[in-house]
């Protein structure tokens, strides 16, 4: 959702309560009302003892807080999430702590430098003094972190009271956030906000996929904890897939392949939740294309995504405006859903329908597509979920079953790729300290396809079908491109780390005695660059390796003439 004055502006960082004003357009656009920009003091916040400047703690979690006033009748109060693109060329004003922690996150939770998330709490309240008889206002949290469940929990804690107590309450809440510990993956965090203490744990890349490290209320010292969050990012998967769970495997394929997909929903919250559930269904694989949980005609990419002059892009859009039923009619895959039922209720299952039937604004719920799945439908998971509905199994338990099913399906698909890519890694014995690190072998699609006969997904999945066809399609998708670039970067960094370790095992001082001063100085500069690279790129190097290399550098410099020592000691780091 592009907020005028926010999306497209790059969201300049002036303080947690960012001033952003815009006039409502055609009685549909939201007007952004400033809650007042807080000063950014340069002095350290006394008493915290963390050496952080004022609002550094806040910036590690949030970019800004906005209060949005509407001049449009929108209906019931809703909570939802949206995502929007940051303007190119704008400085990313996020605290550098996030970059340090990003390397320890699962790939699907890493921040995307090109996008922000907006978490919304919308409220409509009667007010006889106003012409319409009520006011409409939203509290919006803007963040780089895709922690959907966490930030919606924060909004539930602070938004209702904010609407009663106004700006001073919001400023106090921002001060609480500024005192939070940094969002370190793997640590149990206690986050107080306005008298409530939340206990959370951010996942790490080392966690076993599919397991939730639930923080337990076990110690007596935890009696002050008010809210325990079992997850920071997951949505209620079954509730979102409930109207379409008969077709969940087909939707998994569409998301995996990065196909253009539109969700037409009756409200922003249902649109948002469904898009986020779709993106989540291929976890632990990251969805590398764009996705917009709530997309409107005011988004800056509206023309780009609705043009008929080129094929629809690889993106998942969530929309509510009936106008999109006509504007996006040429898209190949459209999910139209009705109202999501409360937990415990099962909506009527929608059918797969031909796209030509999506002609009117009052089209019935359904999955409108001509797509033919590569894999046969897994009847067992459908029976299991249907049995759960009949037995009134809680939605949370149904979500666990569905999430495990998607996880096993994704892992069965990705393991053969992981196995083949690992074979592209050069042997460790080929790494020489006196040569550049060896290159990875090239990924050859046909060579990979030949490995599937003996080590394909049939080893771990009961599902039959055209797996080969699915792989061929996937290798041409943005998700494969993003996944392979990530893996190639990780493996290249591993080779750089092994090269550093090989260097450390050499007697570098002895080497310098056999070479000229010019060659020795060149070696020192290259070693310093290696250290800088290891630090900058977070190479997987052991701490003692870095110390050994620094010791080598110092020893080599001290063996040189004094004039060269002075120059080299001032150059870079030692």
């Amino acid at each position: 959702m592009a907020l005028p004055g926010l999306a497209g502006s790059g969201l300049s960082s002036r303080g947690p309560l960012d001033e952003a004003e815009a006039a409502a357009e055609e009685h549909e656009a939201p007007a952004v009302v400033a809650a007042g920009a807080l000063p950014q003091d340069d002095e350290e916040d006394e008493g915290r003892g963390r050496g952080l400047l004022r609002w550094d703690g806040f910036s590690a979690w949030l970019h800004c807080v906005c209060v949005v006033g509407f001049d449009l009748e929108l209906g019931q109060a809703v909570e939802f999430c949206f995502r929007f693109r940051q303007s190119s060329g704008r400085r990313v004003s996020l605290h550098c702590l996030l970059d340090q922690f990003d390397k320890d996150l699962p790939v699907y939770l890493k921040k995307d430098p090109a996008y922000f998330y907006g978490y919304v709490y919308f409220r409509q309240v009667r007010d006889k003094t106003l012409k319409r008889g009520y006011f409409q206002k939203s509290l919006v949290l803007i963040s780089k972190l895709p922690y959907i469940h966490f930030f919606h929990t924060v909004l539930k804690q602070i938004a209702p009271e904010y609407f009663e107590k106004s700006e001073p309450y919001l400023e106090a809440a921002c001060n609480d956030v500024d005192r939070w510990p940094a969002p370190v993956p793997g640590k149990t965090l206690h986050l107080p906000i306005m008298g409530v203490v939340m206990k959370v744990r951010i996942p790490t890349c080392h966690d076993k996929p599919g397991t939730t490290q639930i923080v337990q209320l076990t110690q007596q010292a935890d009696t002050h904890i008010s809210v325990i969050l079992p997850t920071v990012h997951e949505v209620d998967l079954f509730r979102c897939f409930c109207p379409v769970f008969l077709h969940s495997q087909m939707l998994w394929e569409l998301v995996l392949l990065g196909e253009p997909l539109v969700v037409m929903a009756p409200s922003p919250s249902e649109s948002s939740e469904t898009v986020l559930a779709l993106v989540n269904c291929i976890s632990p694989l990251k969805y590398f294309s764009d996705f917009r949980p709530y997309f409107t005609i005011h988004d800056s990419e509206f023309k780009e995504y609705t043009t008929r002059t080129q094929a629809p892009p690889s993106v998942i859009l969530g929309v509510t405006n009936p106008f999109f039923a006509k504007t996006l009619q040429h898209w190949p895959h459209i999910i139209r859903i009705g109202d999501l039922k409360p937990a415990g209720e099962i909506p009527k299952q929608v059918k797969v329908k031909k796209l030509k039937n999506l002609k009117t604004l009052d089209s019935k719920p359904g999955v409108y597509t001509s797509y033919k799945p590569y894999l046969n439908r897994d009847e067992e998971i459908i029976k299991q979920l249907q049995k759960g509905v009949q037995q009134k199994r809680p939605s949370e338990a149904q979500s666990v079953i569905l999430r495990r099913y998607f996880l096993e399906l994704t892992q069965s698909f990705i393991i053969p790729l992981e196995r083949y890519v690992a074979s592209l890694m050069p042997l460790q014995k080929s790494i020489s300290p006196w040569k550049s690190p060896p290159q990875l072998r090239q990924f050859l699609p046909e060579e990979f396809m030949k490995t599937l006969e003996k080590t394909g997904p049939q080893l771990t999945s009961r599902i039959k079908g055209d797996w080969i066809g699915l792989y061929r399609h996937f290798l041409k998708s943005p998700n494969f491109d993003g996944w392979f670039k990530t893996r190639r970067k990780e493996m290249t960094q591993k080779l750089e780390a092994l090269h550093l370790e090989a260097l450390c095992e050499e007697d570098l001082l002895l080497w310098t005695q056999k070479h000229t001063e010019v060659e020795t100085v060149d070696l020192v500069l290259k070693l310093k660059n290696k250290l800088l690279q290891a630090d900058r790129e977070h190479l997987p190097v052991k701490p003692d390796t870095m110390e050994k290399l620094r010791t080598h550098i110092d020893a080599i410099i001290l063996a040189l003439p004094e004039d060269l020592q002075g120059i080299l000691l001032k150059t870079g780091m030692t």
Side-chain angles (χ1 to χ4, degrees):
M1 175 183 177
L3 303 182
L6 287 182
S9 70
L11 286 171
S12 59
S13 177
R14 294 173 47 198
L17 298 181
D18 209 26
E19 287 189 287
E21 298 182 356
E25 180 183 343
E26 299 292 330
H27 298 291
E28 289 190 6
V32 181
V33 182
L38 293 178
Q40 290 208 58
D41 302 329
D42 287 334
E43 72 273 7
E44 288 188 19
D45 190 10
E46 293 181 6
R48 288 194 290 176
R50 289 187 287 154
L52 297 180
L53 299 179
R54 182 72 161 146
W55 301 123
D56 274 357
F58 180 97
S59 296
W61 291 90
L62 289 167
H63 182 79
C64 64
V65 177
C66 303
V67 178
V68 186
F70 295 83
D71 66 354
L72 164 70
E73 186 171 345
L74 287 181
Q76 81 269 28
V78 292
E79 293 173 40
F80 61 97
C81 167
F82 62 94
R83 184 174 184 258
F84 58 95
R85 191 182 294 167
Q86 176 174 301
S87 293
S88 59
R90 296 302 293 258
R91 181 175 62 89
V92 178
S93 54
L94 191 67
H95 194 267
C96 62
L97 278 175
L98 281 186
D99 294 325
Q100 297 172 24
F101 303 139
D102 210 47
K103 65 184 176 68
D104 294 322
L105 286 168
V107 64
Y108 53 88
L109 287 183
K110 291 182 185 292
K111 61 180 174 59
D112 188 327
Y115 291 91
F116 286 99
Y117 286 82
Y119 302 96
V120 181
Y121 189 101
F122 170 78
R123 192 171 184 187
Q124 178 176 295
V125 178
R126 290 189 178 279
D127 188 338
K128 294 180 180 178
T129 64
L130 298 177
K131 185 177 179 181
R132 287 179 176 267
Y134 52 82
F135 81 85
Q136 294 181 131
K137 196 175 280 189
S138 282
L139 184 62
V140 185
L141 307 180
I142 304 293
S143 177
K144 283 283 185 180
L145 305 177
Y147 302 161
I148 294 103
H149 184 63
F150 170 74
F151 283 115
H152 277 156
T153 303
V154 172
L155 279 170
K156 285 178 183 177
Q157 298 299 328
I158 66 173
E161 285 204 56
Y162 158 71
F163 287 115
E164 300 296 328
K165 299 176 182 177
S166 200
E167 279 78 9
Y169 179 87
L170 195 54
E171 184 169 339
C174 288
N175 276 290
D176 278 351
V177 174
D178 190 44
R179 289 177 172 82
W180 284 357
V184 182
K187 283 192 175 181
T188 298
L189 305 174
H190 296 81
L191 309 174
I193 187 161
M194 304 311 287
V196 172
V197 179
M198 297 178 293
K199 188 175 181 180
V200 303
R201 181 188 180 275
I202 298 169
T204 78
C205 56
H206 309 295
D207 293 348
K208 184 181 177 181
T211 59
T212 302
Q213 305 266 346
I214 300 177
V215 284
Q216 300 289 351
L217 187 63
T218 53
Q219 300 176 1
Q220 192 172 2
D222 279 350
T223 53
H224 65 288
I225 302 296
S226 309
V227 179
I228 298 178
L229 296 185
T231 176
V232 293
H233 66 285
E234 291 173 347
V235 295
D236 189 338
L237 203 61
F238 180 72
R239 181 170 177 266
C240 300
F241 270 93
C242 201
V244 293
F245 77 74
L246 289 178
H247 319 296
S248 55
Q249 190 173 301
M250 179 183 72
L251 295 176
W252 174 85
E253 284 191 23
L254 291 175
V255 176
L256 179 76
L257 300 174
E259 286 287 306
L261 189 59
V262 182
V263 174
M264 296 183 177
S267 77
S269 58
E270 284 152 349
S271 158
S272 171
E273 288 178 28
T274 304
V275 169
L276 292 168
L278 287 167
V279 170
N280 189 251
C281 79
I282 62 170
S283 179
L285 190 66
K286 180 180 179 180
Y287 181 77
F288 280 93
S289 295
D290 190 9
F291 62 95
R292 304 300 176 90
Y294 180 50
F295 190 75
T296 77
I297 60 174
H298 300 287
D299 270 274
S300 52
E301 293 80 28
F302 173 74
K303 288 184 179 179
E304 176 187 344
Y305 287 167
T306 57
T307 181
R308 290 174 180 260
T309 59
Q310 58 190 34
S314 174
V315 62
I316 301 178
L317 299 180
V319 302
T320 59
N321 193 326
F323 175 74
F324 283 108
K326 183 177 181 181
T327 311
L328 300 177
Q329 196 174 11
H330 62 295
W331 277 48
H333 319 290
I334 298 172
I335 306 171
R336 180 181 279 278
I337 58 174
D339 293 319
L340 293 181
K341 300 293 183 182
E345 293 186 33
I346 182 81
K348 184 179 179 182
Q349 285 294 293
V350 302
K351 297 179 179 179
V352 174
K353 304 178 182 182
K354 299 288 186 182
L355 275 168
K356 63 182 181 180
N357 295 332
L358 186 67
K359 292 182 178 178
T360 60
L361 297 181
D362 59 348
S363 294
K364 293 180 180 179
V367 180
Y368 293 82
T369 181
S370 299
Y371 179 80
K372 293 183 179 179
Y374 287 97
L375 304 181
N376 301 337
R377 190 159 76 176
D378 187 344
E379 298 295 341
E380 283 191 40
I381 184 65
I382 292 171
K383 290 177 183 176
Q384 196 174 359
L385 292 172
Q386 285 176 329
K387 184 178 179 181
V389 170
Q390 294 164 1
Q391 296 177 345
K392 299 191 182 302
R393 186 186 293 146
S395 180
E396 293 84 359
Q398 293 279 79
S399 286
V400 169
I401 293 169
L402 188 57
R403 185 169 283 110
R404 189 189 307 124
Y405 164 72
F406 281 137
L407 172 67
E408 291 173 355
L409 189 56
T410 303
Q411 286 184 320
S412 291
F413 181 81
I414 212 72
I415 284 172
L417 278 162
E418 290 280 7
R419 187 183 291 115
Y420 173 71
V421 167
S423 74
L424 305 180
M425 188 82 164
L427 296 175
Q428 189 164 348
K429 65 181 181 182
S430 67
I431 298 172
S432 167
W434 305 113
K435 295 180 182 179
S436 297
Q439 300 292 308
L440 296 174
R441 284 201 308 115
Q442 187 180 358
F443 186 106
L444 300 174
E446 291 308 315
E447 185 180 64
F448 163 67
M449 293 298 173
K450 290 176 182 177
T451 68
L452 297 176
E453 185 177 349
K454 292 183 178 179
T455 58
Q458 71 276 8
L459 297 180
T460 53
S461 177
R462 62 176 177 263
I463 299 173
K464 307 295 183 183
D466 184 10
W467 285 98
I468 299 289
L470 185 62
Y471 279 113
R472 289 193 185 279
H473 195 155
F474 178 72
L475 294 183
K476 299 174 184 176
S477 74
N479 283 333
F480 169 74
D481 188 53
W483 172 81
F484 183 61
K485 282 180 179 176
T486 302
R487 293 293 290 115
R488 185 170 56 194
K489 181 181 178 181
E490 291 171 353
M491 292 165 73
T492 302
Q493 289 181 336
K494 180 63 176 175
L495 285 171
E496 290 285 353
L498 291 172
H499 187 246
L500 269 180
E501 289 174 15
L503 271 171
C504 287
E505 297 306 316
E506 290 293 309
D507 189 338
L508 298 181
L509 196 56
L510 179 63
W511 181 92
T512 62
Q513 293 169 6
K514 299 176 183 179
H515 292 77
T516 65
E517 281 187 5
V518 172
E519 290 172 316
T520 300
V521 169
D522 186 56
L523 175 65
V524 170
L525 294 176
K526 285 181 177 177
L527 291 176
K528 286 191 172 191
N529 282 332
K530 286 276 187 183
L531 277 176
L532 286 169
Q533 179 191 11
D535 189 55
R536 183 175 60 248
E537 298 181 12
H538 306 296
L539 296 185
V541 181
K542 300 170 186 174
D544 63 326
T545 300
M546 300 288 279
E547 277 307 309
K548 281 182 184 178
L549 200 55
R550 290 188 180 96
T551 303
H552 279 312
I553 292 172
D554 290 341
I556 294 170
I557 290 175
L558 290 174
L560 288 168
E562 286 189 12
D563 57 336
L564 283 177
Q565 287 185 32
I567 294 171
L568 291 174
L569 287 171
K570 291 177 183 177
T571 306
M573 57 182 286
T574 60

